[in-house]
Amino acid sequence: MSRNKIPILQEEITGMHLDKLIQKAIVMGASESAIIDSQNISVEDNLANYCIEPKCVYYGLSPSCPPHVSGPTEFRTLKKTHTHAVVVRIIVPSAALFSDERRDIMRLLHEIAASVEKEAVRMGYTDSKAFAGGSCKIIFCYNHLECRRLSKNGKCRNPQNARPSMSGFGINVSNLIKKCGWPVNINGREAESDAEKMSWVAGLIMLG
Ligand code: SF4
C-alpha cells in the first residue's frame, strides 16, 4: 500500500483537503492513490473506437459504455473545467482477474471511485465525476436480463456505485498510471509463475 502525490500541482491544490481523498481511497481498499493535473490525462479517439471494433461483448448493454456515453470529445471538454483528478489503483493477482473473483474486484473498484467522488462532493467539489472500468451490466446486474435504465427507461439499480468505464472515453489508462509515477508492469524481470504474477485495475475521479 502506498500513497503518492505528484509534485505538479500548485500548493493550494495539493493541500491537506485533497489528501483526504487519497486517504479515502486507501481506506476503501485501493492499493495506491494520487492527485494529478487533468492535463496529464491522455484522451485518444482510437482507444474509444476499440469498444466498437473489435466490438466489445458488453457494447451497448448499459449507459456506462458506448454508444451511450459522450466519449472522447466530451471528456476533453471535461478536462477544461475539472483541472485536477484523483487516480486509484487496485493491485491484484493476475489469476484473480480471470476467475470468479473478477466481479468482486471490479465491484470494489466502482465502490472506491464512487466513494471518493461522494467525498469530493462533500468537500465542495460538487461537480466531481468518477470513472471506473468494465461494464456495470456485468458487474452489478449480471443476474438481470437487461439494464433497467436502458430497457424500461427506469432508475439504475445501483446508482450509489455504478460508474462509467474509462474505455468509452478513450482514456489512456497505462499513460495515466505512468503519470502517477507508478509502474505499468508490476512484475519483476525474472520470469514468474502464473500464480505469482500481479496485475491491476484503475479508476479516475475528476474533481470539479
Ligand atoms: S441498472 Fe445495472 S446495468 Fe443499468 S446502469 Fe444501473 S448498474 Fe448499470
Side-chain angles (χ1 to χ4, degrees):
M1 184 181 295
S2 69
R3 297 190 300 149
N4 286 357
K5 193 188 292 181
I6 307 305
I8 51 179
L9 295 175
Q10 295 169 0
E11 195 172 344
E12 63 267 27
I13 294 175
T14 55
M16 287 293 290
H17 63 305
L18 287 191
D19 217 36
K20 279 187 192 167
L21 298 178
I22 293 176
Q23 288 165 12
K24 179 76 180 178
I26 298 295
V27 167
M28 288 287 299
S31 309
E32 300 172 298
S33 182
I35 308 288
I36 65 164
D37 187 315
S38 298
Q39 294 314 307
N40 286 314
I41 303 170
S42 175
V43 181
E44 301 168 25
D45 290 354
N46 65 315
L47 293 179
N49 289 339
Y50 285 141
C51 298
I52 305 167
E53 184 61 47
K55 196 172 182 180
C56 172
V57 291
Y58 305 123
Y59 178 84
L61 295 187
S62 77
S64 59
C65 291
H68 305 296
V69 296
S70 50
T73 302
E74 286 303 314
F75 196 89
R76 290 187 186 103
T77 302
L78 188 69
K79 279 173 57 174
K80 291 178 186 161
T81 53
H82 293 58
T83 56
H84 44 297
V86 182
V87 183
V88 298
R89 171 158 94 160
I90 309 173
I91 295 173
V92 294
S94 299
L97 290 177
F98 295 97
S99 75
D100 291 345
E101 285 181 70
R102 180 182 178 87
R103 186 172 293 128
D104 293 336
I105 294 166
M106 299 311 291
R107 180 186 288 260
L108 177 62
L109 177 65
H110 280 249
E111 288 171 354
I112 292 170
S115 293
V116 172
E117 176 197 88
K118 285 177 221 159
E119 184 69 23
V121 168
R122 270 195 292 272
M123 289 166 55
Y125 296 93
T126 54
D127 195 33
S128 294
K129 297 189 188 312
F131 299 82
S135 164
C136 61
K137 172 69 178 67
I138 198 67
I139 297 168
F140 294 101
C141 289
Y142 57 94
N143 54 357
H144 294 275
L145 192 58
E146 293 176 301
C147 164
R148 190 158 68 186
R149 273 187 64 191
L150 290 183
S151 64
K152 297 178 182 159
N153 203 20
K155 289 184 180 173
C156 172
R157 298 184 186 97
N158 301 279
Q160 294 300 319
N161 294 313
R163 292 295 181 271
S165 171
M166 284 192 276
S167 306
F169 294 87
I171 297 168
N172 186 327
V173 182
S174 294
N175 188 266
L176 189 64
I177 292 302
K178 285 182 200 162
K179 293 293 182 184
C180 291
W182 304 331
V184 173
N185 182 359
I186 54 176
N187 295 298
R189 287 188 184 173
E190 311 245 325
E192 291 160 329
S193 71
D194 285 348
E196 292 172 321
K197 282 188 178 154
M198 301 297 286
S199 190
W200 52 265
V201 294
L204 175 70
I205 303 93
M206 300 293 287
L207 302 176

